[in-house]
Amino acid sequence: DIVMTQSPDTLAVSLGDRATIRCTSSHSLVYGANNKNYVSWYQQKPGQPPKLLIYWASTRDSGVPDRFSGAGSGTDFTLTISSLQAEDVAVYYCQQHHVTPWTFGQGTKVEI
Amino acid sequence: QVQLQESGPGLVKPSGTLSLTCNVSGASVNSYYWSWIRQAPGKRLEWVGFSFYTGDTELNPFLGNRVTISVDTSKNQVSLTLNSVTAADTAVYHCAGGRGRSTWFDHWGQGVLVIVSS
């Protein structure tokens, strides 16, 4: 199975500051036929299901604020919140959908 | 707006069968690949498997042959059956839909907590 490892496990950031989460994959997530990276990012708030933020490593889902951005290729990816807002407190997960079984990172808790 | 609602028993006895249903509204069940994803207390999200209305199904090998996922187009529902459960199967179970076979999960249900205990 592809192992997804996130760092850090917990991230404390001041309001308005930048938050960056890293996700490392045990195998490359680039699909050769289209050169896309098969990794997505989700936000999960307490008592809620995960919500899609980013797909194909860097494409924001519809309605996601532009302070969220994704980057990376191959095995190293990042999710950045450019200016942390109070409503961004949540656990963030990366996920690979390149090879089954699909796998998730362990999650990064972002707090103020 | 696509909405997913999981339902099923919240308590299952060890060695018993876990059966859950995901009711899909706001979209045809034919439009998505449907996955079940679970989250045990303190653990990461774990993909159980997916199924498409054509019968195209893929299951996570870690569950062996204990799991079945099916799509009922007449009821616009997705089902999960997990046999021979143990305490390790205690988790919140989510259904989730993705547009393609190898795509992200666009829509998630709220999830249902299933506890395996005698």
Side-chain angles (χ1 to χ4, degrees), chain B residues 107-118:
Chain B
H107 306 288
W108 293 70
Q110 185 68 28
V112 59
L113 173 62
V114 179
I115 297 172
V116 178
S117 174
S118 56

Side-chain angles (χ1 to χ4, degrees), chain A residues 64-78:
Chain A
V64 173
D66 60 8
R67 63 180 181 273
F68 291 93
S69 63
S73 184
T75 61
D76 287 288
F77 303 91
T78 57

Side-chain angles (χ1 to χ4, degrees), chain B residues 80-97:
Chain B
L80 169 71
T81 302
L82 183 63
N83 300 315
S84 305
V85 297
T86 69
D89 295 312
T90 293
V92 174
Y93 286 77
H94 297 275
C95 64

Side-chain angles (χ1 to χ4, degrees), chain B residues 71-83:
Chain B
V71 177
D72 188 333
T73 56
S74 66
K75 296 181 179 179
N76 224 43
Q77 288 179 341
V78 185
S79 297
L80 169 71
T81 302
L82 183 63
N83 300 315

Side-chain angles (χ1 to χ4, degrees), chain B residues 11-88:
Chain B
L11 181 64
V12 181
K13 294 187 185 302
S15 77
T17 296
L18 180 161
S19 295
L20 298 177
T21 298
C22 175
N23 190 63
V24 179
S25 59
S28 168
V29 75
N30 296 359
S31 301
Y32 291 84
Y33 275 77
W34 299 103
S35 284
W36 287 92
I37 298 157
R38 72 183 190 179
Q39 189 169 28
K43 298 292 184 70
R44 69 181 67 193
L45 294 160
E46 189 170 53
W47 176 73
V48 173
F50 70 62
S51 187
F52 193 51
Y53 79 101
T54 57
D56 183 14
T57 300
E58 204 159 329
L59 304 172
N60 197 324
F62 87 95
L63 288 169
N65 60 359
R66 296 195 296 132
V67 63
T68 302
I69 298 175
S70 60
V71 177
D72 188 333
T73 56
S74 66
K75 296 181 179 179
N76 224 43
Q77 288 179 341
V78 185
S79 297
L80 169 71
T81 302
L82 183 63
N83 300 315
S84 305
V85 297
T86 69

Side-chain angles (χ1 to χ4, degrees), chain A residues 41-88:
Chain A
W41 289 92
Y42 301 86
Q43 174 193 65
Q44 187 175 29
K45 297 181 180 179
Q48 296 184 19
K51 173 191 171 186
L52 176 68
L53 295 176
I54 302 282
Y55 57 91
W56 279 333
S58 60
T59 302
R60 266 190 307 275
D61 192 29
S62 175
V64 173
D66 60 8
R67 63 180 181 273
F68 291 93
S69 63
S73 184
T75 61
D76 287 288
F77 303 91
T78 57
L79 173 71
T80 299
I81 310 172
S82 60
S83 176
L84 191 77
Q85 305 300 303
E87 61 265 32
D88 300 335

